[in-house]
Amino acid sequence: MEKIPDVNVYVRFCETDAGGHVSNVSYFIYLEEARSKFFQAVGFTGKEKRGNIDFIVASTSCDFLVQAYAGQTLAIATKVERIGTKSFKLAHEVTDNKTGNRIASGWATIVCFDYQKQQTEKVPPILREILEKFLVTA
């Protein structure tokens, strides 16, 4: 399995809630940034690179393990957890950049989608080949 460099996110004060820790909503923004950078790192961004291959986020979730605070830098690692017929699942681990302690774990199920037909489609071979390089094997 190849590894994509972690994405570092500096936690701004505006991303915290009344309790002083990172708001649950902010984690989904961090995971979105990690997904975007994952596709950028593997060279799969922009229509010129993807051709007619499009996808949508069908599901996303996050388990919050410990609190994070403004001023921390979080590292987000992204791996491919599963590749199906029409979808694939990315797994994210959020850790404190200084200590390496786990902060949260997140997932996103992404479905290949034809916007003109408004229907799902199979994962194209070129995308499957890219994703397989980053697939976590037990």
Side-chain angles (χ1 to χ4, degrees):
M1 176 188 88
E2 292 187 35
K3 183 172 177 1
I4 294 293
D6 293 351
V7 172
N8 290 316
V9 175
Y10 177 78
V11 178
R12 299 174 299 177
F13 179 76
C14 66
E15 296 164 345
T16 63
D17 60 18
H21 57 260
V22 174
S23 169
N24 62 311
V25 174
S26 296
Y27 285 95
F28 291 95
I29 295 168
Y30 304 157
L31 300 181
E32 178 185 40
E33 181 175 349
R35 281 193 305 277
S36 295
K37 298 240 171 110
F38 170 81
F39 288 116
Q40 184 178 29
V42 300
F44 207 74
T45 55
K47 282 290 189 185
E48 68 282 354
K49 303 277 187 187
R50 297 190 331 228
N52 289 330
I53 302 171
D54 283 310
F55 35 79
I56 57 174
V57 175
S59 174
T60 185
S61 63
C62 188
D63 291 343
F64 312 107
L65 306 172
V66 298
Q67 297 175 65
Y69 300 92
Q72 274 184 286
T73 299
L74 305 178
I76 306 169
T78 302
K79 300 174 186 168
V80 178
E81 189 172 89
R82 179 188 58 74
I83 307 170
T85 303
K86 295 183 175 186
S87 66
F88 53 96
K89 188 173 187 179
L90 297 179
H92 305 284
E93 286 297 323
V94 181
T95 58
D96 179 284
N97 196 42
K98 282 185 184 174
T99 66
N101 294 336
R102 283 183 42 200
I103 304 288
S105 297
W107 298 268
T109 299
I110 302 177
V111 176
C112 290
F113 195 77
D114 184 321
Y115 283 95
Q116 287 188 333
K117 294 179 184 175
Q118 287 294 297
Q119 65 185 29
T120 60
E121 60 186 8
K122 289 185 177 181
V123 175
I126 186 71
L127 177 56
R128 181 176 294 279
E129 184 180 321
I130 290 169
L131 294 172
E132 286 175 348
K133 294 177 185 175
F134 303 95
L135 183 63
V136 176
T137 54

